[in-house]
Amino acid sequence: MKQLSYSRPRFIEALIHITGWAIVFGFPFLMMARSGFTITWIDYLRHGSIVPLSFLIVFYANYFFLIPRYLFEGNIKKYILLNMALIIAVAAGVHLWQEYAFQTHLREGGERGGRHMGPPKWIFLLRDIFSMILTVGLSAAIKMSSRWRQMDAARREAEKSRAEAELKNLRNQLNPHFLLNTLNNIYALIAFDTDKAQSAVQELSRLLRHVLYDNQQNFVTLDKEMDFIRNYIALMRIRLSSNVTVETRIDIRPDSRTEIAPLIFISLIENAFKHGISPTEPSFIRIRFSESPEEIRCEITNSHHPKSQADKSGSGIGLEQVLKRLELTYPGRYDWKHGISENGKEYYSILAIKS
């Protein structure tokens, strides 16, 4: 596939060159036809083709040799001097050929001692030199434009590779962070309810299957991600006391094939279970997912219990990872609002990812 994407621009570039030079070399035929004159192939090769041929020589001498070797290497002085020598040599060659062709034409016509009629020859010489200077400028402009496109493509490829590497690194960081939080919950259960702890281990095995396999892909289907979230919420419910209310509403089709970055929502849910629950006060967590043709929406609201200064739990790594992953995976395609309500009793997180 990469070979195809690389060869296509080269083919288009070659087609543009062929078309351009076909127009340049066909221009004398067009002008003669519009003027009512007829021109044979021999006359064209002898008189009409030499000037376009000189432009072609100057153009590609620059395009393939002088520009890459001297202009792109910063040796501008040598580049200008070599072009001056090239233009003078080619212009002189064109002038000598035209003089030879003119004398040959006179001999074939039976004329002797013919004289050039019209403007002085040096005017035509200056015209050809000026046209070749323009040809050099055109060659440099096209070559520099092509080089800029190649450099831009290489830069974008490097940025893509860097972003993919950074995203993979974030996913690798997320796995231990997620597992640490889950294992802490199971450890707490073992102390007072071994049956629930065993059930939690079973739930964890289902979660690990998703983390170890689906998380290695760039995208998973939304129905798989929702199954993972349901299992995770079920695991979290096991250790909750009766003063905590958890409400979930998942308005996602069971067979939804919409693709989503794996584990993009889990840190938001972790944050709600970790910081939205008080061991002494009534607490609540509300989680809602919805899907429309325009966006995938995640709304989480939980009771807000400010931490004391002595409480050092929660470094905010999970939420930082969410923001970095959103920037890398959905740049300009997401809207994330989160914070504490005006009355200070609720924490909200609303994430919308545009389709």
Side-chain angles (χ1 to χ4, degrees):
M1 186 63 68
K2 288 185 177 180
Q3 181 65 29
L4 179 62
S5 62
Y6 174 76
S7 60
R8 187 176 297 171
R10 296 294 297 269
F11 171 77
I12 294 175
E13 181 181 355
L15 186 62
I16 292 173
H17 281 246
I18 292 172
T19 303
W21 287 113
I23 294 173
V24 172
F25 277 88
F27 188 73
F29 277 110
L30 178 64
M31 294 301 297
M32 294 294 286
R34 292 188 63 180
S35 301
F37 294 97
T38 57
I39 180 172
T40 65
W41 279 106
I42 295 177
D43 291 335
Y44 173 75
L45 294 174
R46 183 180 294 173
H47 303 285
S49 65
I50 186 62
V51 173
L53 182 62
S54 68
F55 294 159
L56 185 144
I57 293 171
V58 171
F59 183 93
Y60 286 112
N62 274 269
Y63 194 84
F64 290 117
F65 180 71
L66 296 178
I67 294 173
R69 186 162 182 176
Y70 297 104
L71 184 60
F72 287 169
E73 297 297 327
N75 199 342
I76 299 177
K77 184 177 180 180
K78 196 167 186 178
Y79 172 75
I80 293 174
L81 291 175
L82 287 173
N83 262 302
M84 289 175 60
L86 173 66
I87 290 173
I88 292 173
V90 173
V94 170
H95 174 74
L96 292 174
W97 174 261
Q98 288 177 334
E99 186 65 26
Y100 168 77
F102 178 70
Q103 295 299 329
T104 302
H105 176 73
L106 290 179
R107 286 196 297 271
E108 290 176 353
E111 302 179 27
R112 295 186 179 181
R115 249 178 349 117
H116 172 78
M117 304 296 293
K121 296 179 181 179
W122 63 268
I123 292 181
F124 294 100
L125 185 62
L126 289 179
R127 180 204 62 185
D128 292 342
I129 291 175
F130 180 73
S131 299
M132 291 178 195
I133 292 174
L134 294 180
T135 302
V136 170
L138 178 63
S139 178
I142 295 175
K143 190 67 175 179
M144 292 180 73
S145 175
S146 175
R147 188 195 191 201
W148 179 84
R149 287 195 303 271
Q150 292 174 359
M151 292 176 64
D152 184 63
R155 177 185 59 79
R156 283 188 277 109
E157 186 67 27
E159 289 180 353
K160 181 181 178 183
S161 299
R162 179 186 60 79
E164 289 176 351
E166 187 173 351
L167 188 57
K168 184 177 181 180
N169 183 51
L170 284 173
R171 290 204 301 264
N172 291 337
Q173 290 177 22
L174 181 61
N175 288 348
H177 181 264
F178 161 76
L179 289 175
L180 178 63
N181 289 343
T182 308
L183 289 173
N184 283 339
N185 293 333
I186 295 176
Y187 177 77
L189 283 174
I190 292 173
F192 61 86
D193 194 331
T194 55
D195 291 337
K196 283 189 176 181
Q198 290 178 354
S199 177
V201 171
Q202 291 178 348
E203 293 290 344
L204 178 60
S205 67
R206 296 190 186 98
L207 297 179
L208 286 178
R209 189 175 297 110
H210 183 84
V211 170
L212 294 177
Y213 297 104
D214 294 335
N215 189 37
Q216 300 308 311
Q217 306 172 28
N218 291 330
F219 296 95
V220 296
T221 56
L222 192 55
D223 60 339
K224 281 189 177 182
E225 190 68 13
M226 290 301 106
D227 287 341
F228 169 77
I229 287 174
R230 288 188 187 95
N231 290 333
Y232 178 79
I233 294 174
L235 177 60
M236 293 297 101
R237 284 178 184 271
I238 294 175
R239 70 177 183 89
L240 297 181
S241 60
S242 58
N243 68 335
V244 180
T245 303
V246 178
E247 300 176 7
T248 60
R249 180 178 173 183
I250 300 180
D251 297 326
I252 305 291
R253 290 181 292 105
D255 59 345
S256 175
R257 312 316 292 173
T258 305
E259 293 190 332
I260 192 74
L263 304 182
I264 196 72
F265 303 115
I266 194 62
S267 292
L268 305 181
I269 299 175
E270 277 185 328
N271 191 65
F273 278 99
K274 190 170 185 178
H275 303 294
I277 297 174
S278 171
T280 58
E281 301 177 25
S283 306
F284 69 89
I285 298 174
R286 302 189 190 101
I287 300 171
R288 184 192 175 191
F289 286 91
S290 60
E291 179 188 11
S292 68
E294 293 77 27
E295 65 181 18
I296 301 168
R297 192 174 185 86
C298 170
E299 301 178 38
I300 302 175
T301 308
N302 56 266
S303 49
H304 176 59
H305 303 286
K307 295 187 298 182
S308 64
Q309 293 183 353
D311 187 357
K312 303 298 183 182
S313 65
S315 59
I317 293 176
L319 297 184
E320 290 179 3
Q321 288 178 333
V322 171
L323 182 59
K324 287 182 179 179
R325 289 191 68 193
L326 287 171
E327 285 294 329
L328 290 170
T329 311
Y330 301 103
R333 293 174 51 202
Y334 74 92
D335 182 26
W336 184 24
K337 299 176 182 178
H338 57 98
I340 302 171
S341 62
E342 293 182 0
N343 59 15
K345 295 183 179 181
E346 295 183 358
Y347 181 88
Y348 64 90
S349 177
I350 303 173
L351 173 59
I353 297 177
K354 298 178 177 60
S355 303

